[in-house]
Amino acid sequence: MNHSPETRRVDIYAGIHKALRAMMMDTLHAVGSVDVEDAAELHAVCGRVLGLADACASHLGHENDFVHSLLEEYGNGPCWEVAQDHREHLVAIAELRALVATLRAACRGAAQAAAAQALYRQLALFIADNFVHMHTEEVEHNQMLWARCSDDELRALEGRIVAAIAPAEHLETLRWMVPAMAPAERAQVLAGVRAHAPASAFAAAFYNAPA
Ligand SMILES: [Fe+2]
């Protein structure tokens, strides 16, 4: 494969990582600013942390199943830090779910405020670690993928990942991904949805931005 340095290669991480970064930052802000005296708001914020935990676990699974297995087929496998991060992130995700359960079970007042603060701090550390992790994937793994795969092969890989994602999860991802993207990227993603998904899915992706 001969790609000039000026040629932009297919980047399978760019869009989904923008979505995850946006979702993480917004969720952290929601946890940090939650009014623990407001039961409905607290319930909604706990639900958002669990939603982020589910999204992160699912994303990690897709990377393991499709990207890391492809790198293994080429004989290298994922880089050590990334594979280790994935194992540690599953533990961290379980800890976040436990902290949400603790917050929901806490009595009102000081105990609830302390539980919210504990969740906020742990979520911030998890997000900080994920930001470094995603950067490593975008630099190290992309170099490995670009050295071994053509752009058509990378588009096919992306297609296999998208096909494995349930429609509801796909819509939730687009809800964060589309507003987080640069206009040209946004237009490309929406054109793809329009070409390959039902009109109702396109309308949902187009209008369903984060509240
Ligand atoms: Fe990852």
Side-chain angles (χ1 to χ4, degrees), residues 166-194:
E169 183 186 340
H170 204 42
L171 198 57
E172 176 68 6
T173 300
L174 286 170
R175 175 175 173 268
W176 290 99
M177 185 190 287
V178 172
M181 287 178 142
E185 296 169 326
R186 209 178 297 160
Q188 193 175 18
V189 164
L190 289 172
V193 175
R194 179 176 259 169

PDB file of all heavy atoms in Angstrom, residues 166-194:
ATOM      1  N   ALA A 166     -26.513  -3.405  18.298  1.00  0.00           N
ATOM      2  CA  ALA A 166     -27.978  -3.363  18.277  1.00  0.00           C
ATOM      3  C   ALA A 166     -28.449  -1.957  17.886  1.00  0.00           C
ATOM      4  O   ALA A 166     -27.781  -0.974  18.218  1.00  0.00           O
ATOM      5  CB  ALA A 166     -28.519  -3.724  19.654  1.00  0.00           C
ATOM      6  N   PRO A 167     -29.609  -1.848  17.181  1.00  0.00           N
ATOM      7  CA  PRO A 167     -30.080  -0.530  16.716  1.00  0.00           C
ATOM      8  C   PRO A 167     -30.185   0.511  17.837  1.00  0.00           C
ATOM      9  O   PRO A 167     -29.809   1.671  17.645  1.00  0.00           O
ATOM     10  CB  PRO A 167     -31.455  -0.850  16.117  1.00  0.00           C
ATOM     11  CG  PRO A 167     -31.348  -2.276  15.686  1.00  0.00           C
ATOM     12  CD  PRO A 167     -30.451  -2.949  16.682  1.00  0.00           C
ATOM     13  N   ALA A 168     -30.674   0.114  19.016  1.00  0.00           N
ATOM     14  CA  ALA A 168     -30.838   1.093  20.104  1.00  0.00           C
ATOM     15  C   ALA A 168     -29.480   1.643  20.548  1.00  0.00           C
ATOM     16  O   ALA A 168     -29.343   2.848  20.803  1.00  0.00           O
ATOM     17  CB  ALA A 168     -31.551   0.441  21.286  1.00  0.00           C
ATOM     18  N   GLU A 169     -28.487   0.767  20.613  1.00  0.00           N
ATOM     19  CA  GLU A 169     -27.148   1.219  21.022  1.00  0.00           C
ATOM     20  C   GLU A 169     -26.542   2.115  19.933  1.00  0.00           C
ATOM     21  O   GLU A 169     -25.885   3.111  20.224  1.00  0.00           O
ATOM     22  CB  GLU A 169     -26.238   0.006  21.272  1.00  0.00           C
ATOM     23  CG  GLU A 169     -24.849   0.421  21.768  1.00  0.00           C
ATOM     24  CD  GLU A 169     -23.877  -0.754  21.892  1.00  0.00           C
ATOM     25  OE1 GLU A 169     -24.341  -1.910  21.962  1.00  0.00           O
ATOM     26  OE2 GLU A 169     -22.667  -0.498  21.904  1.00  0.00           O
ATOM     27  N   HIS A 170     -26.816   1.750  18.695  1.00  0.00           N
ATOM     28  CA  HIS A 170     -26.312   2.536  17.577  1.00  0.00           C
ATOM     29  C   HIS A 170     -26.883   3.952  17.619  1.00  0.00           C
ATOM     30  O   HIS A 170     -26.173   4.935  17.434  1.00  0.00           O
ATOM     31  CB  HIS A 170     -26.709   1.831  16.280  1.00  0.00           C
ATOM     32  CG  HIS A 170     -25.827   2.165  15.130  1.00  0.00           C
ATOM     33  ND1 HIS A 170     -24.459   2.256  15.223  1.00  0.00           N
ATOM     34  CD2 HIS A 170     -26.126   2.464  13.847  1.00  0.00           C
ATOM     35  CE1 HIS A 170     -23.955   2.586  14.053  1.00  0.00           C
ATOM     36  NE2 HIS A 170     -24.947   2.722  13.215  1.00  0.00           N
ATOM     37  N   LEU A 171     -28.167   4.048  17.886  1.00  0.00           N
ATOM     38  CA  LEU A 171     -28.834   5.355  17.947  1.00  0.00           C
ATOM     39  C   LEU A 171     -28.283   6.181  19.105  1.00  0.00           C
ATOM     40  O   LEU A 171     -28.052   7.385  18.966  1.00  0.00           O
ATOM     41  CB  LEU A 171     -30.344   5.146  18.107  1.00  0.00           C
ATOM     42  CG  LEU A 171     -31.222   6.336  17.760  1.00  0.00           C
ATOM     43  CD1 LEU A 171     -30.977   6.790  16.332  1.00  0.00           C
ATOM     44  CD2 LEU A 171     -32.684   5.968  17.942  1.00  0.00           C
ATOM     45  N   GLU A 172     -28.064   5.547  20.247  1.00  0.00           N
ATOM     46  CA  GLU A 172     -27.502   6.254  21.403  1.00  0.00           C
ATOM     47  C   GLU A 172     -26.092   6.767  21.073  1.00  0.00           C
ATOM     48  O   GLU A 172     -25.728   7.890  21.442  1.00  0.00           O
ATOM     49  CB  GLU A 172     -27.479   5.306  22.616  1.00  0.00           C
ATOM     50  CG  GLU A 172     -26.837   5.865  23.862  1.00  0.00           C
ATOM     51  CD  GLU A 172     -27.613   7.011  24.515  1.00  0.00           C
ATOM     52  OE1 GLU A 172     -28.738   7.302  24.056  1.00  0.00           O
ATOM     53  OE2 GLU A 172     -27.090   7.635  25.459  1.00  0.00           O
ATOM     54  N   THR A 173     -25.319   5.963  20.362  1.00  0.00           N
ATOM     55  CA  THR A 173     -23.972   6.397  19.971  1.00  0.00           C
ATOM     56  C   THR A 173     -24.046   7.601  19.034  1.00  0.00           C
ATOM     57  O   THR A 173     -23.327   8.589  19.211  1.00  0.00           O
ATOM     58  CB  THR A 173     -23.220   5.239  19.272  1.00  0.00           C
ATOM     59  OG1 THR A 173     -23.135   4.143  20.180  1.00  0.00           O
ATOM     60  CG2 THR A 173     -21.822   5.650  18.860  1.00  0.00           C
ATOM     61  N   LEU A 174     -24.946   7.530  18.043  1.00  0.00           N
ATOM     62  CA  LEU A 174     -25.072   8.633  17.085  1.00  0.00           C
ATOM     63  C   LEU A 174     -25.519   9.912  17.785  1.00  0.00           C
ATOM     64  O   LEU A 174     -25.116  11.017  17.403  1.00  0.00           O
ATOM     65  CB  LEU A 174     -26.075   8.263  15.987  1.00  0.00           C
ATOM     66  CG  LEU A 174     -25.575   7.241  14.953  1.00  0.00           C
ATOM     67  CD1 LEU A 174     -26.731   6.776  14.078  1.00  0.00           C
ATOM     68  CD2 LEU A 174     -24.471   7.845  14.084  1.00  0.00           C
ATOM     69  N   ARG A 175     -26.320   9.753  18.809  1.00  0.00           N
ATOM     70  CA  ARG A 175     -26.832  10.897  19.573  1.00  0.00           C
ATOM     71  C   ARG A 175     -25.675  11.726  20.149  1.00  0.00           C
ATOM     72  O   ARG A 175     -25.760  12.944  20.243  1.00  0.00           O
ATOM     73  CB  ARG A 175     -27.739  10.364  20.680  1.00  0.00           C
ATOM     74  CG  ARG A 175     -28.290  11.358  21.651  1.00  0.00           C
ATOM     75  CD  ARG A 175     -29.264  10.648  22.592  1.00  0.00           C
ATOM     76  NE  ARG A 175     -29.703  11.536  23.642  1.00  0.00           N
ATOM     77  CZ  ARG A 175     -29.106  11.648  24.831  1.00  0.00           C
ATOM     78  NH1 ARG A 175     -28.053  10.915  25.093  1.00  0.00           N
ATOM     79  NH2 ARG A 175     -29.582  12.493  25.740  1.00  0.00           N
ATOM     80  N   TRP A 176     -24.602  11.051  20.540  1.00  0.00           N
ATOM     81  CA  TRP A 176     -23.429  11.749  21.066  1.00  0.00           C
ATOM     82  C   TRP A 176     -22.412  12.049  19.972  1.00  0.00           C
ATOM     83  O   TRP A 176     -21.727  13.067  19.996  1.00  0.00           O
ATOM     84  CB  TRP A 176     -22.764  10.897  22.165  1.00  0.00           C
ATOM     85  CG  TRP A 176     -23.611  10.848  23.391  1.00  0.00           C
ATOM     86  CD1 TRP A 176     -24.459   9.857  23.773  1.00  0.00           C
ATOM     87  CD2 TRP A 176     -23.745  11.879  24.384  1.00  0.00           C
ATOM     88  NE1 TRP A 176     -25.106  10.193  24.938  1.00  0.00           N
ATOM     89  CE2 TRP A 176     -24.680  11.425  25.340  1.00  0.00           C
ATOM     90  CE3 TRP A 176     -23.159  13.133  24.562  1.00  0.00           C
ATOM     91  CZ2 TRP A 176     -25.048  12.193  26.451  1.00  0.00           C
ATOM     92  CZ3 TRP A 176     -23.513  13.893  25.669  1.00  0.00           C
ATOM     93  CH2 TRP A 176     -24.448  13.422  26.598  1.00  0.00           C
ATOM     94  N   MET A 177     -22.296  11.145  19.010  1.00  0.00           N
ATOM     95  CA  MET A 177     -21.247  11.264  18.002  1.00  0.00           C
ATOM     96  C   MET A 177     -21.480  12.451  17.065  1.00  0.00           C
ATOM     97  O   MET A 177     -20.558  13.239  16.807  1.00  0.00           O
ATOM     98  CB  MET A 177     -21.167   9.971  17.190  1.00  0.00           C
ATOM     99  CG  MET A 177     -20.025   9.938  16.183  1.00  0.00           C
ATOM    100  SD  MET A 177     -20.148   8.533  15.055  1.00  0.00           S
ATOM    101  CE  MET A 177     -19.701   7.201  16.139  1.00  0.00           C
ATOM    102  N   VAL A 178     -22.699  12.580  16.571  1.00  0.00           N
ATOM    103  CA  VAL A 178     -22.963  13.582  15.532  1.00  0.00           C
ATOM    104  C   VAL A 178     -22.659  15.002  16.024  1.00  0.00           C
ATOM    105  O   VAL A 178     -21.907  15.744  15.372  1.00  0.00           O
ATOM    106  CB  VAL A 178     -24.405  13.433  14.994  1.00  0.00           C
ATOM    107  CG1 VAL A 178     -24.751  14.587  14.061  1.00  0.00           C
ATOM    108  CG2 VAL A 178     -24.558  12.096  14.260  1.00  0.00           C
ATOM    109  N   PRO A 179     -23.173  15.432  17.185  1.00  0.00           N
ATOM    110  CA  PRO A 179     -22.855  16.803  17.621  1.00  0.00           C
ATOM    111  C   PRO A 179     -21.387  16.994  17.991  1.00  0.00           C
ATOM    112  O   PRO A 179     -20.906  18.121  18.009  1.00  0.00           O
ATOM    113  CB  PRO A 179     -23.741  17.003  18.864  1.00  0.00           C
ATOM    114  CG  PRO A 179     -24.737  15.919  18.844  1.00  0.00           C
ATOM    115  CD  PRO A 179     -24.104  14.768  18.120  1.00  0.00           C
ATOM    116  N   ALA A 180     -20.681  15.908  18.325  1.00  0.00           N
ATOM    117  CA  ALA A 180     -19.286  16.026  18.760  1.00  0.00           C
ATOM    118  C   ALA A 180     -18.327  16.149  17.582  1.00  0.00           C
ATOM    119  O   ALA A 180     -17.148  16.443  17.765  1.00  0.00           O
ATOM    120  CB  ALA A 180     -18.900  14.809  19.612  1.00  0.00           C
ATOM    121  N   MET A 181     -18.827  15.916  16.363  1.00  0.00           N
ATOM    122  CA  MET A 181     -17.948  15.864  15.192  1.00  0.00           C
ATOM    123  C   MET A 181     -17.792  17.216  14.512  1.00  0.00           C
ATOM    124  O   MET A 181     -18.643  18.104  14.654  1.00  0.00           O
ATOM    125  CB  MET A 181     -18.526  14.884  14.167  1.00  0.00           C
ATOM    126  CG  MET A 181     -18.381  13.432  14.558  1.00  0.00           C
ATOM    127  SD  MET A 181     -19.149  12.376  13.316  1.00  0.00           S
ATOM    128  CE  MET A 181     -17.965  11.032  13.317  1.00  0.00           C
ATOM    129  N   ALA A 182     -16.718  17.343  13.733  1.00  0.00           N
ATOM    130  CA  ALA A 182     -16.562  18.488  12.836  1.00  0.00           C
ATOM    131  C   ALA A 182     -17.618  18.381  11.731  1.00  0.00           C
ATOM    132  O   ALA A 182     -18.069  17.274  11.419  1.00  0.00           O
ATOM    133  CB  ALA A 182     -15.163  18.479  12.237  1.00  0.00           C
ATOM    134  N   PRO A 183     -18.027  19.526  11.157  1.00  0.00           N
ATOM    135  CA  PRO A 183     -19.112  19.484  10.160  1.00  0.00           C
ATOM    136  C   PRO A 183     -18.903  18.484   9.023  1.00  0.00           C
ATOM    137  O   PRO A 183     -19.832  17.772   8.638  1.00  0.00           O
ATOM    138  CB  PRO A 183     -19.172  20.925   9.644  1.00  0.00           C
ATOM    139  CG  PRO A 183     -18.669  21.734  10.792  1.00  0.00           C
ATOM    140  CD  PRO A 183     -17.611  20.894  11.470  1.00  0.00           C
ATOM    141  N   ALA A 184     -17.686  18.401   8.497  1.00  0.00           N
ATOM    142  CA  ALA A 184     -17.443  17.488   7.371  1.00  0.00           C
ATOM    143  C   ALA A 184     -17.611  16.033   7.805  1.00  0.00           C
ATOM    144  O   ALA A 184     -18.152  15.204   7.060  1.00  0.00           O
ATOM    145  CB  ALA A 184     -16.037  17.710   6.802  1.00  0.00           C
ATOM    146  N   GLU A 185     -17.153  15.718   9.034  1.00  0.00           N
ATOM    147  CA  GLU A 185     -17.304  14.349   9.552  1.00  0.00           C
ATOM    148  C   GLU A 185     -18.788  14.034   9.777  1.00  0.00           C
ATOM    149  O   GLU A 185     -19.264  12.937   9.498  1.00  0.00           O
ATOM    150  CB  GLU A 185     -16.568  14.202  10.886  1.00  0.00           C
ATOM    151  CG  GLU A 185     -15.071  14.379  10.814  1.00  0.00           C
ATOM    152  CD  GLU A 185     -14.428  14.482  12.192  1.00  0.00           C
ATOM    153  OE1 GLU A 185     -15.055  15.047  13.115  1.00  0.00           O
ATOM    154  OE2 GLU A 185     -13.306  14.009  12.345  1.00  0.00           O
ATOM    155  N   ARG A 186     -19.493  15.036  10.317  1.00  0.00           N
ATOM    156  CA  ARG A 186     -20.933  14.884  10.601  1.00  0.00           C
ATOM    157  C   ARG A 186     -21.690  14.566   9.312  1.00  0.00           C
ATOM    158  O   ARG A 186     -22.530  13.661   9.277  1.00  0.00           O
ATOM    159  CB  ARG A 186     -21.430  16.205  11.181  1.00  0.00           C
ATOM    160  CG  ARG A 186     -22.577  16.109  12.129  1.00  0.00           C
ATOM    161  CD  ARG A 186     -22.916  17.489  12.653  1.00  0.00           C
ATOM    162  NE  ARG A 186     -21.841  18.095  13.420  1.00  0.00           N
ATOM    163  CZ  ARG A 186     -21.728  19.400  13.668  1.00  0.00           C
ATOM    164  NH1 ARG A 186     -22.612  20.243  13.159  1.00  0.00           N
ATOM    165  NH2 ARG A 186     -20.740  19.865  14.378  1.00  0.00           N
ATOM    166  N   ALA A 187     -21.381  15.326   8.258  1.00  0.00           N
ATOM    167  CA  ALA A 187     -22.065  15.118   6.979  1.00  0.00           C
ATOM    168  C   ALA A 187     -21.783  13.713   6.448  1.00  0.00           C
ATOM    169  O   ALA A 187     -22.685  13.048   5.908  1.00  0.00           O
ATOM    170  CB  ALA A 187     -21.597  16.168   5.971  1.00  0.00           C
ATOM    171  N   GLN A 188     -20.554  13.244   6.623  1.00  0.00           N
ATOM    172  CA  GLN A 188     -20.171  11.908   6.127  1.00  0.00           C
ATOM    173  C   GLN A 188     -20.941  10.816   6.881  1.00  0.00           C
ATOM    174  O   GLN A 188     -21.450   9.874   6.275  1.00  0.00           O
ATOM    175  CB  GLN A 188     -18.669  11.724   6.302  1.00  0.00           C
ATOM    176  CG  GLN A 188     -18.118  10.533   5.556  1.00  0.00           C
ATOM    177  CD  GLN A 188     -16.597  10.459   5.655  1.00  0.00           C
ATOM    178  OE1 GLN A 188     -15.978  11.083   6.527  1.00  0.00           O
ATOM    179  NE2 GLN A 188     -15.995   9.706   4.772  1.00  0.00           N
ATOM    180  N   VAL A 189     -21.018  10.961   8.199  1.00  0.00           N
ATOM    181  CA  VAL A 189     -21.725   9.955   9.000  1.00  0.00           C
ATOM    182  C   VAL A 189     -23.211   9.942   8.663  1.00  0.00           C
ATOM    183  O   VAL A 189     -23.814   8.878   8.461  1.00  0.00           O
ATOM    184  CB  VAL A 189     -21.519  10.225  10.514  1.00  0.00           C
ATOM    185  CG1 VAL A 189     -22.531   9.452  11.343  1.00  0.00           C
ATOM    186  CG2 VAL A 189     -20.106   9.826  10.918  1.00  0.00           C
ATOM    187  N   LEU A 190     -23.811  11.115   8.573  1.00  0.00           N
ATOM    188  CA  LEU A 190     -25.245  11.175   8.280  1.00  0.00           C
ATOM    189  C   LEU A 190     -25.546  10.665   6.870  1.00  0.00           C
ATOM    190  O   LEU A 190     -26.576  10.019   6.643  1.00  0.00           O
ATOM    191  CB  LEU A 190     -25.770  12.599   8.476  1.00  0.00           C
ATOM    192  CG  LEU A 190     -25.841  13.041   9.946  1.00  0.00           C
ATOM    193  CD1 LEU A 190     -26.176  14.521  10.054  1.00  0.00           C
ATOM    194  CD2 LEU A 190     -26.859  12.216  10.727  1.00  0.00           C
ATOM    195  N   ALA A 191     -24.639  10.923   5.929  1.00  0.00           N
ATOM    196  CA  ALA A 191     -24.833  10.392   4.567  1.00  0.00           C
ATOM    197  C   ALA A 191     -24.810   8.868   4.602  1.00  0.00           C
ATOM    198  O   ALA A 191     -25.591   8.203   3.902  1.00  0.00           O
ATOM    199  CB  ALA A 191     -23.746  10.928   3.643  1.00  0.00           C
ATOM    200  N   GLY A 192     -23.927   8.310   5.435  1.00  0.00           N
ATOM    201  CA  GLY A 192     -23.858   6.852   5.560  1.00  0.00           C
ATOM    202  C   GLY A 192     -25.124   6.282   6.168  1.00  0.00           C
ATOM    203  O   GLY A 192     -25.629   5.250   5.715  1.00  0.00           O
ATOM    204  N   VAL A 193     -25.657   6.953   7.191  1.00  0.00           N
ATOM    205  CA  VAL A 193     -26.905   6.484   7.823  1.00  0.00           C
ATOM    206  C   VAL A 193     -28.044   6.565   6.810  1.00  0.00           C
ATOM    207  O   VAL A 193     -28.849   5.646   6.679  1.00  0.00           O
ATOM    208  CB  VAL A 193     -27.236   7.322   9.081  1.00  0.00           C
ATOM    209  CG1 VAL A 193     -28.593   6.919   9.649  1.00  0.00           C
ATOM    210  CG2 VAL A 193     -26.148   7.151  10.135  1.00  0.00           C
ATOM    211  N   ARG A 194     -28.073   7.679   6.059  1.00  0.00           N
ATOM    212  CA  ARG A 194     -29.157   7.853   5.068  1.00  0.00           C
ATOM    213  C   ARG A 194     -29.099   6.757   4.003  1.00  0.00           C
ATOM    214  O   ARG A 194     -30.118   6.256   3.542  1.00  0.00           O
ATOM    215  CB  ARG A 194     -29.043   9.232   4.425  1.00  0.00           C
ATOM    216  CG  ARG A 194     -30.097   9.499   3.367  1.00  0.00           C
ATOM    217  CD  ARG A 194     -29.994  10.918   2.851  1.00  0.00           C
ATOM    218  NE  ARG A 194     -31.005  11.785   3.447  1.00  0.00           N
ATOM    219  CZ  ARG A 194     -31.007  13.097   3.340  1.00  0.00           C
ATOM    220  NH1 ARG A 194     -30.046  13.713   2.714  1.00  0.00           N
ATOM    221  NH2 ARG A 194     -31.983  13.799   3.872  1.00  0.00           N
TER     222      ARG A 194
END
